[in-house]
Amino acid sequence: WSYTTQTYQSYASAVAPKRTTIYDGQVVDLGGGVTITCIGVNGNGVLSPPFDDGEENDYCVALLVEYGGFDFFVAGDLSGVNSSYYRDIETSVSAEVGDVDVYRVDHHGSASNTNSNLVSNLSPEVSVISCGSNSYGHPTQTVINRLVAAGSYIYETHTGSGGTIPEGSGEVVNGHIIIEVTSTSYTVNDDRTYPLEGAGVEVARGAEWLRACPNPFTCSTTLSFSIPGGRTAGVEIYDVRGRMVSAIPAFDISDGPVSVTWDGRSADGAEASAGLYFVRISSEPGAVTRKLVKSR
């Protein structure tokens, strides 16, 4: 989209040389054992290219931050309802994430976010609500009650203009919320310490997703991944109903990046229809699944 304000021009001038576009499945290594994985962009397959209409919140980037056994999910103002204004993106994104330790509550606790599917999928031990006095009624009591019912302890940066946290289920800190993580636990604002499940247990590494390029695609896309240790890998493509569309027979690979191309056709040679697909790359000891969008 095109913006003409001086604020935008100043922003563009400052960051243009450094700006890059994040893609679904991208892993950003922050060093020190901390990684950020992009779980969803551009509506997570619910919305279609060229992504130039609808509510901007539907297009928020969803990120999973990981450090050892600690998982933190943040997705900006990502939408969680189907209405004349929004589309439910939270459900599909959260299904890919699974349990997390800390959830930064979407859209400051708005009624259009943090739906019951997301809460069930994430099952957050701690929820952080960033808000203050506002004219929108954030955070709503419905969202607070939903998180409390799931057993999540809530930290709120400041008192909002909507619901209140039930006694014993959270607190308003009136400032920053700082989370310190060790190999065995994490502590919030030097107040409460939570143990990390499976801390200190080294998990065997299976297939590691790199990227699909292009994605979305029209005719074909190249899938890049690696298999630590050079084990056998298999690649399968599924549609949204779970039906296998195409498969590349298992093959042995050396340790390092590998690329294979899907020509956008089913096993019988027919061109696959436009829509959302899933690529599953399997190897010992596990598999990784990522999304593909065929635009036509």
Side-chain angles (χ1 to χ4, degrees):
W1 293 326
S2 178
Y3 299 99
T4 58
T5 65
Q6 184 57 51
T7 299
Y8 178 77
Q9 296 302 326
S10 298
Y11 155 77
S13 176
V15 307
K18 300 179 180 180
R19 183 181 174 93
T20 187
T21 299
I22 199 167
Y23 55 83
D24 191 8
Q26 181 177 3
V27 178
V28 180
D29 187 351
L30 297 185
V34 183
T35 61
I36 294 177
T37 301
C38 178
I39 304 298
V41 294
N42 288 335
N44 204 44
V46 176
L47 305 176
S48 301
F51 310 119
D52 60 358
D53 61 358
E55 164 55 42
E56 286 187 341
N57 290 350
D58 294 350
Y59 297 102
C60 282
V61 175
L63 303 173
L64 178 64
V65 183
E66 298 173 279
Y67 175 63
F70 177 77
D71 304 295
F72 174 91
F73 180 71
V74 54
D77 288 352
L78 194 68
S79 306
V81 297
N82 287 311
S83 68
S84 58
Y85 200 60
Y86 296 113
R87 295 290 298 277
D88 175 14
I89 315 298
E90 286 183 336
T91 294
S92 63
V93 167
S94 61
E96 296 182 52
V97 177
D99 288 1
V100 298
D101 298 295
V102 179
Y103 162 51
R104 184 276 195 182
V105 177
D106 292 342
H107 203 164
H108 321 288
S110 164
S112 60
N113 309 75
T114 309
N115 66 31
S116 57
N117 291 325
L118 176 140
V119 174
S120 176
N121 289 330
L122 298 185
S123 187
E125 187 172 33
V126 167
S127 296
V128 172
I129 301 177
S130 173
C131 71
S133 179
N134 61 87
S135 60
Y136 301 102
H138 299 162
T140 63
Q141 193 65 53
T142 298
V143 166
I144 291 174
N145 292 346
R146 188 173 292 150
L147 291 168
V148 170
S152 189
Y153 192 84
I154 300 173
Y155 291 88
E156 200 171 321
T157 55
H158 297 87
T159 301
S161 300
T164 57
I165 304 171
E167 185 176 355
S169 296
E171 56 197 80
V172 178
V173 303
N174 291 313
H176 295 302
I177 296 171
I178 300 173
I179 302 170
E180 296 181 272
V181 184
T182 71
S183 62
T184 59
S185 64
Y186 66 97
T187 302
V188 183
N189 278 19
D190 292 325
D191 176 36
R192 291 181 174 227
T193 297
Y194 303 83
L196 292 173
E197 294 184 10
V201 178
E202 185 175 351
V203 178
R205 296 167 64 197
E208 295 182 352
W209 176 255
L210 298 179
R211 68 180 302 182
C213 185
N215 188 24
F217 69 100
T218 55
C219 298
S220 66
T221 183
T222 298
L223 315 172
S224 300
F225 57 96
S226 65
I227 306 290
R231 294 183 289 274
T232 299
V235 179
E236 299 167 333
I237 309 294
Y238 293 87
D239 64 15
V240 292
R241 297 179 62 182
R243 299 173 300 188
M244 184 185 296
V245 176
S246 182
I248 298 173
F251 55 94
D252 293 325
I253 64 173
S254 60
D255 192 11
V258 176
S259 295
V260 297
T261 297
W262 180 41
D263 61 5
R265 296 182 177 277
S266 60
D268 61 5
E271 183 173 354
S273 59
L276 177 66
Y277 293 88
F278 295 91
V279 54
R280 178 178 174 84
I281 301 169
S282 57
S283 68
E284 292 296 333
V288 61
T289 302
R290 289 294 184 268
K291 296 181 296 294
L292 302 174
V293 177
K294 191 173 187 299
S295 55
R296 62 179 174 86

